[in-house]
Coordinates of all heavy atoms in Angstrom, one line a residue:
M140 N -9.5 6.8 12.3 CA -9.1 8.1 11.8 C -9.0 9.0 13.1 O -9.9 9.0 13.9 CB -10.2 8.7 10.9 CG -9.8 10.1 10.4 SD -10.9 10.8 9.1 CE -9.9 12.2 8.6
N141 N -7.9 9.7 13.2 CA -7.7 10.7 14.2 C -8.1 12.1 13.7 O -7.5 12.6 12.8 CB -6.3 10.7 14.7 CG -5.8 9.5 15.4 OD1 -4.9 8.8 15.1 ND2 -6.6 9.0 16.4
T142 N -9.2 12.6 14.3 CA -9.8 13.8 13.8 C -9.1 15.1 14.5 O -9.8 15.9 15.1 CB -11.3 13.8 14.0 OG1 -11.6 13.6 15.4 CG2 -11.9 12.8 13.2
R143 N -7.8 15.2 14.3 CA -7.1 16.2 15.0 C -5.7 16.3 14.4 O -5.3 15.4 13.6 CB -7.0 16.0 16.5 CG -6.4 14.6 16.8 CD -6.2 14.4 18.3 NE -5.9 13.0 18.7 CZ -4.8 12.4 18.5 NH1 -3.7 13.0 18.1 NH2 -4.6 11.1 18.9
I144 N -4.9 17.3 14.8 CA -3.5 17.3 14.5 C -2.8 16.2 15.3 O -3.2 16.0 16.4 CB -2.9 18.7 14.8 CG1 -1.5 18.9 14.1 CG2 -2.7 18.9 16.3 CD1 -1.6 19.3 12.7
Q145 N -1.8 15.6 14.7 CA -1.2 14.5 15.4 C 0.1 14.9 16.1 O 0.8 15.9 15.7 CB -0.8 13.3 14.4 CG -2.0 12.6 13.9 CD -2.5 11.5 14.8 OE1 -3.2 11.8 15.8 NE2 -2.1 10.3 14.6
V146 N 0.5 14.2 17.1 CA 1.8 14.5 17.8 C 2.9 14.5 16.7 O 3.8 15.4 16.8 CB 2.1 13.4 18.9 CG1 3.5 13.6 19.5 CG2 1.1 13.4 19.9
E147 N 2.9 13.6 15.8 CA 4.0 13.4 14.8 C 3.8 14.3 13.6 O 4.5 14.1 12.6 CB 4.1 11.9 14.4 CG 2.8 11.3 13.8 CD 1.9 10.7 14.8 OE1 1.9 11.1 16.0 OE2 1.0 9.9 14.4
H148 N 3.0 15.3 13.6 CA 2.8 16.1 12.4 C 4.1 16.8 11.9 O 4.2 17.0 10.7 CB 1.7 17.2 12.6 CG 2.1 18.3 13.5 ND1 2.0 18.3 14.8 CD2 2.7 19.5 13.1 CE1 2.5 19.5 15.3 NE2 2.9 20.2 14.3
P149 N 5.1 17.1 12.7 CA 6.3 17.7 12.2 C 7.0 16.9 11.2 O 7.8 17.4 10.4 CB 7.1 18.0 13.4 CG 6.2 18.1 14.6 CD 5.1 17.1 14.2
V150 N 6.9 15.6 11.3 CA 7.5 14.7 10.3 C 7.0 15.0 8.9 O 7.9 15.2 7.9 CB 7.2 13.2 10.6 CG1 7.8 12.3 9.5 CG2 7.7 12.8 12.0
T151 N 5.7 15.2 8.7 CA 5.2 15.6 7.4 C 5.6 17.0 7.0 O 5.9 17.3 5.9 CB 3.6 15.5 7.5 OG1 3.3 14.1 7.7 CG2 3.0 15.9 6.2
E152 N 5.6 17.9 8.0 CA 6.1 19.3 7.7 C 7.5 19.3 7.2 O 7.8 20.1 6.3 CB 6.0 20.1 9.0 CG 4.5 20.4 9.4 CD 4.4 21.3 10.7 OE1 5.3 21.3 11.5 OE2 3.4 22.0 10.8
M153 N 8.3 18.5 7.7 CA 9.7 18.5 7.3 C 9.9 18.0 5.8 O 10.8 18.5 5.1 CB 10.6 17.7 8.2 CG 10.7 18.4 9.6 SD 12.0 17.7 10.7 CE 13.4 18.6 10.1
V154 N 9.1 17.0 5.4 CA 9.3 16.5 4.1 C 8.5 17.2 3.0 O 8.8 17.1 1.8 CB 9.0 14.9 4.0 CG1 10.0 14.2 4.9 CG2 7.6 14.6 4.4
T155 N 7.5 17.9 3.4 CA 6.6 18.6 2.5 C 6.9 20.1 2.5 O 6.6 20.8 1.5 CB 5.1 18.4 2.8 OG1 4.8 19.0 4.0 CG2 4.8 16.9 2.7
G156 N 7.4 20.7 3.6 CA 7.6 22.1 3.7 C 6.3 22.9 3.9 O 6.2 24.1 3.9
I157 N 5.2 22.1 4.3 CA 3.9 22.7 4.6 C 3.7 22.8 6.1 O 3.9 21.9 6.8 CB 2.8 21.9 3.9 CG1 2.9 21.9 2.4 CG2 1.4 22.4 4.4 CD1 2.0 20.9 1.7
D158 N 3.3 24.0 6.5 CA 3.0 24.2 7.9 C 1.6 23.8 8.2 O 0.6 24.5 7.8 CB 3.2 25.7 8.3 CG 3.1 26.0 9.8 OD1 2.2 25.5 10.4 OD2 4.0 26.7 10.3
L159 N 1.4 22.7 8.8 CA 0.1 22.1 9.0 C -0.8 22.9 10.0 O -2.0 23.0 9.8 CB 0.2 20.6 9.5 CG 0.9 19.7 8.5 CD1 0.8 18.3 9.1 CD2 0.2 19.7 7.2
V160 N -0.1 23.5 11.0 CA -0.9 24.2 12.0 C -1.4 25.5 11.4 O -2.6 25.9 11.6 CB -0.1 24.5 13.3 CG1 -0.8 25.4 14.3 CG2 0.3 23.2 13.9
K161 N -0.6 26.2 10.7 CA -1.0 27.4 10.0 C -2.2 27.1 9.0 O -3.1 27.9 8.9 CB 0.1 28.1 9.3 CG 1.1 28.8 10.1 CD 2.1 29.5 9.3 CE 3.2 30.3 10.1 NZ 4.2 30.9 9.3
T162 N -2.0 26.0 8.3 CA -3.1 25.6 7.3 C -4.4 25.3 8.0 O -5.4 25.7 7.6 CB -2.6 24.4 6.5 OG1 -1.3 24.7 5.9 CG2 -3.6 24.1 5.4
Q163 N -4.3 24.6 9.2 CA -5.5 24.4 10.0 C -6.2 25.6 10.3 O -7.4 25.7 10.2 CB -5.0 23.7 11.3 CG -5.1 22.3 11.5 CD -4.9 21.9 13.0 OE1 -3.9 22.4 13.6 NE2 -5.8 21.2 13.6
I164 N -5.4 26.6 10.8 CA -6.0 27.9 11.2 C -6.7 28.6 10.0 O -7.8 29.1 10.1 CB -5.0 28.8 11.9 CG1 -4.5 28.1 13.2 CG2 -5.5 30.2 12.2 CD1 -3.3 28.8 13.8
G165 N -6.0 28.6 8.9 CA -6.6 29.2 7.7 C -7.9 28.5 7.3 O -8.9 29.2 6.9
V166 N -7.9 27.2 7.3 CA -9.1 26.5 6.9 C -10.3 26.8 7.9 O -11.4 27.0 7.4 CB -8.8 25.0 6.9 CG1 -10.1 24.2 6.9 CG2 -8.0 24.6 5.7
A167 N -10.0 26.9 9.2 CA -11.0 27.2 10.1 C -11.6 28.6 9.9 O -12.7 28.9 10.3 CB -10.4 27.1 11.6
A168 N -10.8 29.5 9.4 CA -11.2 30.9 9.1 C -11.9 31.0 7.7 O -12.3 32.0 7.3 CB -10.0 31.8 9.1
G169 N -12.1 29.8 7.1 CA -12.8 29.8 5.8 C -12.0 30.0 4.6 O -12.5 30.1 3.5
K170 N -10.7 29.9 4.7 CA -9.8 30.1 3.6 C -9.7 28.7 2.8 O -9.7 27.7 3.5 CB -8.4 30.5 4.0 CG -8.3 31.8 4.8 CD -8.7 33.0 3.8 CE -8.5 34.3 4.6 NZ -8.9 35.5 3.7
P171 N -9.5 28.8 1.5 CA -9.3 27.5 0.8 C -7.9 27.0 1.0 O -7.0 27.7 1.5 CB -9.5 27.9 -0.7 CG -9.1 29.4 -0.7 CD -9.5 29.9 0.6
L172 N -7.7 25.7 0.8 CA -6.4 25.1 0.9 C -5.4 25.9 0.0 O -5.8 26.1 -1.2 CB -6.4 23.6 0.5 CG -7.0 22.7 1.5 CD1 -6.9 21.3 1.0 CD2 -6.2 22.7 2.9
P173 N -4.2 26.3 0.5 CA -3.3 27.0 -0.4 C -2.5 26.1 -1.3 O -1.6 26.6 -2.0 CB -2.4 27.7 0.6 CG -2.4 26.8 1.8 CD -3.8 26.2 1.9
F174 N -2.9 24.8 -1.4 CA -2.2 23.9 -2.3 C -3.1 22.8 -2.7 O -4.2 22.6 -2.1 CB -1.0 23.2 -1.5 CG -1.3 22.7 -0.2 CD1 -1.9 21.4 0.0 CD2 -1.1 23.4 1.0 CE1 -2.3 20.9 1.2 CE2 -1.4 22.9 2.2 CZ -2.0 21.7 2.3
G175 N -2.9 22.2 -3.9 CA -3.6 21.1 -4.3 C -2.8 19.8 -4.3 O -1.6 19.9 -3.9
Q176 N -3.4 18.7 -4.7 CA -2.6 17.4 -4.6 C -1.4 17.5 -5.4 O -0.3 16.9 -5.0 CB -3.5 16.3 -5.1 CG -3.0 14.9 -4.7 CD -2.9 14.7 -3.2 OE1 -3.8 14.7 -2.5 NE2 -1.6 14.6 -2.7
A177 N -1.4 18.1 -6.6 CA -0.2 18.1 -7.4 C 0.9 19.0 -6.8 O 2.1 18.8 -7.2 CB -0.6 18.7 -8.8
D178 N 0.6 19.9 -5.9 CA 1.6 20.7 -5.3 C 2.3 20.0 -4.1 O 3.3 20.6 -3.7 CB 0.9 22.0 -4.7 CG 0.2 22.8 -5.8 OD1 0.8 23.0 -6.9 OD2 -1.0 23.2 -5.5
V179 N 1.8 18.9 -3.7 CA 2.4 18.2 -2.6 C 3.5 17.3 -3.1 O 3.2 16.2 -3.7 CB 1.4 17.4 -1.8 CG1 2.1 16.7 -0.6 CG2 0.3 18.3 -1.3

């Protein structure tokens, strides 16, 4: 398990439309995930 953002994270961003870096920052600030499994 790589416990970080990956070099290849944009691949997932392109097919899901989810900004992983912004989500990372929100989670670190204590925000809940803005999506659930059914939303992906």
Side-chain angles (χ1 to χ4, degrees):
M140 184 175 189
N141 292 127
T142 54
R143 54 176 167 79
I144 197 80
Q145 290 277 80
V146 177
E147 59 272 21
H148 76 273
V150 176
T151 297
E152 292 183 329
M153 293 192 85
V154 296
T155 63
I157 294 171
D158 189 313
L159 297 183
V160 177
K161 286 184 181 179
T162 306
Q163 261 192 310
I164 294 169
V166 165
K170 301 292 185 183
L172 286 178
F174 50 82
Q176 193 62 65
D178 301 313
V179 180

